[in-house]
Amino acid sequence: MIKKNLILLFLSVAFLANAQQVRHIETINDAWHFYKGKIEHPFSNDASRSWEKVTIPHSWNTEDILDDEKGYYRGEAWYKKTMTIPQIHENQQVFLVFEAANQVASLYVNGKPVGEDHIGGYTTFARDITSALKKGANEIAVKVDNSHNDEIVPHSADFSFYGGIYRDIQLIITKPVHFEVANLGANAVFIRTPEVSETSAKVTVQSKLVRPKKGRYYVKQSLFDANNNLVKEVKTKSKFHKDVFSSFSVQSPKLWSPENPYLYKVVTEIVDKKGNIYDRVENPLGLRWFSFDAKKGFFINGKPTKLIGTNRHQDFLGKANAVSDEIHRNDIKLLKDMGSNFLRIAHYPQDPAILEMCDKLGLVATLEIPFVNKAAANEVGKQNTVNMLKEAIRFNYNHPSIVAWNLGNETTMKAPEDRDGLMALEP
């Protein structure tokens, strides 16, 4: 018994020591306070203002969307939370990642704005909050606004524009040397498969690093099969202010398809010449090739495949769009059980759990941005739409289930009455 306990203690210590080498990730969904409405002085200690205790995911339209009165609340609301940031690393970098907040989100830490407002209610974004933090308790506040805005799509659609921080919030802590977090799309590793066949596959990986000028660092790519066996390992030297490109090949690859959704795993690490690990991220890898033919249809891995499926929205009775990962995952399982092999993710990017399940269960998917019915009003609105598309592609880039990125849907593109007003989005 003593020997067994010693072994368990050793394994625990080894695990903790290893955990200190890589990024810290936790959801911070609990213990938020919520106020619906405008606040003239949001950081004043106004005891008369009543805040509701809520848990993320959260929407303020769970009830008014279903009542007998016309319309539902579209406007400003506030979330706040006080927390102490754990000290994980020396000179650590601290980030908040929002999977989505509809539709304009303004972040404040200790009463000071952090970064620009995020535009768009369906894409993931991250902010570096390191410089705004202090020792001890820190107040995180987020203003969210789902008001109609001519510069932000969607303007009109056959679905509701629920307000809220309706997907998870993550706290990420890294060492000074790390893979990018706070960039457009909150993704730093991009996996490409330029050549795939039944006999071999070529894989290239682009990694975006943040690192000091001094020091020699490498990016190590480790490929694991579905049984977690190491298949391939390559190490590439990094250069300051340069992306790192790694490549390797896989012989006799096991192919991803709706019938057999075989997934490899790519573990990407920053290491030094002694093998010390500074950061680590993981991504799925499905090896497949596909094509569309106007006359013959869709082919995957050379096999003609009839795509049978549906589209899917992200709301649920009594929850609006603040839907748990478990419900998202169960929806995809139900689609698979009813015989689907295809999902159109409509009309906007959805929770990361959706593509996670498409990858695992073998549903071919298309993903689109909420460019529906009407285009944004001016050049600023056009750029907002383009940024949404970039965020959607970059964040979801590595999912093998994706076969197309859709710019929009049901866009009539009619010329506006006021030529200086509503403008069509050019290609």
Side-chain angles (χ1 to χ4, degrees):
M1 186 66 180
I2 294 176
K3 183 178 180 180
K4 182 179 180 180
N5 288 338
L6 287 173
I7 292 174
L8 290 174
L9 178 62
F10 173 79
L11 291 174
S12 298
V13 171
F15 173 81
L16 289 173
N18 184 59
Q20 292 296 315
Q21 293 291 326
V22 296
R23 64 173 56 186
H24 171 88
I25 305 176
E26 64 173 296
T27 55
I28 54 170
N29 291 343
D30 297 333
W32 286 83
H33 292 79
F34 170 74
Y35 179 85
K36 185 172 72 174
K38 292 186 178 182
I39 302 178
E40 187 174 350
H41 303 289
F43 305 107
S44 64
N45 295 320
D46 186 350
S48 66
R49 188 179 298 125
S50 178
W51 292 76
E52 175 189 357
K53 292 183 179 180
V54 300
T55 299
I56 307 299
H58 175 267
S59 172
W60 57 73
N61 296 124
T62 56
E63 297 180 9
D64 61 0
I65 196 69
L66 297 173
D67 61 27
D68 293 331
E69 296 183 14
K70 184 179 180 180
Y72 55 97
Y73 180 73
R74 297 192 66 182
E76 292 183 8
W78 287 79
Y79 296 84
K80 68 177 183 179
K81 175 187 179 72
T82 300
M83 63 180 299
T84 299
I85 306 299
Q87 185 66 42
I88 305 297
H89 305 299
E90 184 180 0
N91 298 321
Q92 64 189 20
Q93 302 295 298
V94 184
F95 306 88
L96 291 182
V97 177
F98 295 80
E99 290 184 357
N102 199 24
Q103 69 177 350
V104 178
S106 309
L107 174 63
Y108 302 85
V109 178
N110 298 318
K112 298 179 180 179
V114 176
E116 298 179 350
D117 292 351
H118 181 260
I119 306 297
Y122 305 93
T123 48
T124 297
F125 62 99
R127 295 290 182 264
D128 185 341
I129 65 171
T130 309
S131 61
L133 296 173
K134 62 183 181 181
K135 290 185 178 180
N138 291 269
E139 185 175 69
I140 314 296
V142 187
K143 181 179 73 172
V144 184
D145 190 343
N146 69 332
S147 300
H148 175 85
N149 188 322
D150 282 339
E151 294 180 348
I152 305 173
V153 294
H155 292 158
S156 65
D158 55 353
F159 57 92
S160 300
F161 311 138
Y162 308 108
I165 303 177
Y166 67 95
R167 296 183 196 158
D168 296 335
I169 305 174
Q170 290 183 342
L171 171 71
I172 295 181
I173 301 175
T174 72
K175 292 184 174 183
V177 180
H178 59 275
F179 293 111
E180 277 190 352
V181 180
N183 61 25
L184 189 68
N187 183 23
V189 175
F190 301 90
I191 303 174
R192 301 177 177 92
T193 53
E195 298 176 16
V196 180
S197 70
E198 293 181 352
T199 57
S200 65
K202 181 179 180 180
V203 181
T204 64
V205 187
Q206 178 182 358
S207 307
K208 294 181 174 294
L209 278 66
V210 175
R211 47 157 291 186
K213 293 183 179 180
K214 294 182 179 180
R216 180 174 295 180
Y217 302 98
Y218 303 84
V219 173
K220 185 171 75 171
Q221 310 288 354
S222 301
L223 177 68
F224 295 88
D225 65 17
N227 295 317
N228 212 36
N229 297 312
L230 181 64
V231 176
K232 186 78 67 169
E233 185 176 283
V234 297
K235 190 165 68 172
T236 309
K237 185 179 178 181
S238 71
K239 295 181 180 180
F240 187 63
H241 279 332
K242 298 287 185 180
D243 290 355
V244 176
F245 291 85
S246 310
S247 62
F248 55 87
S249 60
V250 180
Q251 301 304 314
S252 302
K254 293 181 173 60
L255 301 178
W256 186 96
S257 69
E259 296 79 20
N260 181 35
Y262 189 93
L263 287 177
Y264 293 86
K265 178 176 67 177
V266 177
V267 177
T268 306
E269 297 172 314
I270 302 174
V271 300
D272 62 17
K273 60 183 179 181
K274 295 181 179 179
N276 296 313
I277 303 171
Y278 290 81
D279 200 6
R280 175 192 291 130
V281 294
E282 298 182 4
N283 282 283
L285 171 63
L287 297 173
R288 82 286 185 266
W289 76 96
F290 60 87
S291 62
F292 292 90
D293 186 280
K295 295 182 179 180
K296 298 180 180 180
F298 177 74
F299 289 75
I300 187 164
N301 302 330
K303 176 184 175 182
T305 302
K306 184 176 182 179
L307 296 178
I308 303 173
T310 182
N311 66 356
R312 189 256 185 191
H313 281 285
Q314 64 183 4
D315 50 1
F316 195 86
L317 179 63
K319 295 180 179 294
N321 57 353
V323 182
S324 67
D325 288 354
E326 289 75 15
I327 292 176
H328 287 302
R329 292 186 178 110
N330 188 61
D331 275 1
I332 305 307
K333 185 178 183 301
L334 290 173
L335 292 175
K336 184 68 175 182
D337 289 345
M338 80 178 196
S340 294
N341 65 0
F342 172 78
L343 175 66
R344 173 189 164 218
I345 302 174
H347 281 274
Y348 38 77
Q350 297 182 19
D351 192 280
I354 297 299
L355 282 172
E356 170 199 325
M357 292 300 289
C358 289
D359 292 344
K360 290 180 178 179
L361 297 183
L363 273 76
V364 172
T366 62
L367 183 144
E368 63 198 52
I369 59 172
F371 177 25
V372 186
N373 294 352
K374 296 179 180 180
N378 52 28
E379 186 62 29
V380 173
K382 174 182 173 181
Q383 192 56 52
N384 286 338
T385 306
V386 171
N387 285 341
M388 288 182 200
L389 185 63
K390 289 179 178 179
E391 286 181 325
I393 292 174
R394 287 170 64 98
F395 181 74
N396 298 290
Y397 193 87
N398 298 322
H399 290 283
S401 53
I402 289 282
V403 298
W405 310 103
N406 297 348
L407 174 60
N409 178 257
E410 299 167 355
T411 48
T412 57
M413 306 297 284
K414 292 180 179 179
E417 294 180 5
D418 178 4
R419 294 285 179 176
D420 296 325
L422 195 67
M423 294 176 60
L425 178 67
E426 298 173 357

